């Protein structure tokens, strides 16, 4: 194989799974895409050195893993607002933000093949991605390769240049850390159960009409809303009502487009009125998690580059 030209179709067949691996490692589709692109370049550059002493897939994942580990050595942990801060005490317009690189962002599907798209869908939940980020990078890689991609300890050892004993030790430590971690995002998560379509429809109707009473009535008593990149998040119906009243000027006239995130979970892309009032432009991606058919947590990811990544239009008519 190493004497032939770079096999692009063979690499392309690995790309969806490789992207999902890098997303779980890095918590960002931008970073995942960069890692996969760089992996492709390194595979092409090193093609003549591939000796087939391991499988092509193992070789490619070794390159991707090393790239992810290098990136993680130079970056801080990504997280969700509810895991970093307490809920707002005083309700005001949100102002304080952290850089985009501080946050976990939702992902679109990784490929057209359902098997590629839904590799262990439960491990694409945003709260699980947040839990993964609490692990040291090498333990994170071991756990993903074992519990998500179901590789053997021997295969993981070959991929990460470790001994099988070191792999098993890292896996044990990773699982212990995950079990001990007490993240608020995990407590609030219900991404394993899709929200009722009727509840989503009522949310869309109440928000688009900006009927605050109807909107807040959909929330659980302990319901909350977070808005990365803003640090601030809101908890409880009274504070939610106050917040919506305060930001009415910004949200009135919004429209939603249904999408799916992180393995097929329903979400809503919010478009808001532009400054000229002549059309609607991207604002945020709402991921709605429920409890007892009430809204437990709305994560409104305010990051307009997500819209193009999800194949959404840059503008829609009013």
């Amino acid at each position: 194989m190493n004497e032939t030209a770079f096999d692009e179709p063979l690499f392309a067949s690995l790309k969806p799974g490789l992207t999902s691996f890098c997303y779980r490692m890095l918590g960002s589709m931008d970073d995942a895409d960069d890692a996969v692109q760089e992996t492709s370049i390194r595979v092409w550059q090193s093609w003549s050195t591939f000796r087939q002493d391991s499988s092509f897939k193992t070789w490619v994942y070794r390159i991707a893993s090393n790239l992810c580990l290098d990136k993680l050595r130079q970056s801080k942990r990504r997280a969700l607002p509810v895991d970093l801060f307490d809920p707002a005490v005083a309700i005001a317009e949100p102002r304080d933000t952290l850089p985009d690189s501080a946050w976990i962002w939702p992902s679109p599907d990784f490929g057209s093949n359902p098997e590629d798209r839904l590799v262990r869908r439960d491990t694409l939940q945003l709260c699980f991605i947040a839990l993964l980020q609490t692990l040291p990078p090498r333990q994170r890689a071991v756990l993903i390769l074992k519990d998500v991609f179901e590789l053997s300890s021997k295969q993981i050892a070959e991929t990460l240049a470790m001994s099988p004993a070191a792999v098993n030790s890292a896996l044990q430590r990773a699982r212990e850390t995950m079990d001990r971690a007490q993240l608020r995002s995990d407590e609030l998560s219900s991404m394993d159960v899709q929200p009722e379509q009727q509840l989503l429809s009522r949310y869309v109707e109440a928000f688009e009409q900006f009927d605050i009473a109807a909107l807040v009535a959909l929330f659980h008593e302990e319901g909350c809303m977070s808005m990365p990149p803003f640090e601030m998040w809101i908890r409880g119906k009274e504070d939610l009502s106050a917040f919506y009243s305060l930001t009415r000027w910004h949200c009135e006239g919004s429209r939603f487009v249904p999408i799916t995130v992180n393995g097929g979970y329903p979400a809503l892309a919010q478009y808001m009125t532009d400054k000229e009032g002549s059309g609607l432009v991207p604002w945020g991606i709402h991921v709605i998690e429920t409890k007892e058919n009430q809204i437990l947590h709305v994560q409104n990811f305010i990051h307009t580059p997500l819209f193009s990544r999800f194949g959404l239009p840059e503008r829609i008519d009013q």
Side-chain angles (χ1 to χ4, degrees), residues 43-61:
V43 168
W44 176 74
Q45 291 175 335
S46 306
W47 184 252
S48 63
T49 68
F50 178 51
R51 303 302 181 195
Q52 294 184 306
D53 51 355
S54 61
S55 74
F56 177 70
K57 181 177 180 179
T58 297
W59 182 60
V60 170
Y61 271 79

Side-chain angles (χ1 to χ4, degrees), residues 195-205 218 293:
E196 294 287 339
Q197 184 56 50
Q198 185 180 21
L199 179 62
L200 286 178
S201 298
R202 290 164 63 198
Y203 180 82
V204 169
E205 181 180 4
L218 300 176
N293 203 28

Side-chain angles (χ1 to χ4, degrees), residues 29 36 53 119 136 147 206 219 224 227 249 306 318:
M29 278 300 296
V36 172
D53 51 355
V119 176
D147 288 359
F219 280 82
C224 54
M227 304 154 287
W249 65 273
L306 287 171
Q318 283 185 311

Side-chain angles (χ1 to χ4, degrees), residues 250 254-255 257 269-274 279-285 300-308 312-316:
H250 183 274
S254 293
R255 293 291 179 270
V257 174
Q270 179 192 352
Y271 286 78
M272 58 172 284
T273 306
D274 66 12
L280 298 165
V281 293
W283 177 245
I285 304 291
N300 182 7
F301 293 92
I302 302 170
H303 187 51
T304 53
L306 287 171
F307 281 69
S308 59
L312 291 162
E314 294 180 4
R315 184 182 184 86
I316 59 177

Side-chain angles (χ1 to χ4, degrees), residues 81 105-106 203 207 225-230 243 250-251 256 268-270 283-288 297-303 306-307:
W105 300 105
Y203 180 82
F207 202 106
M225 177 180 61
S226 55
M227 304 154 287
F230 293 102
F243 182 80
H250 183 274
C251 293
F256 284 114
L268 299 162
Q270 179 192 352
W283 177 245
I285 304 291
H286 294 223
V287 180
I288 299 171
H297 186 195
V298 175
Q299 299 187 75
N300 182 7
F301 293 92
I302 302 170
H303 187 51
L306 287 171
F307 281 69

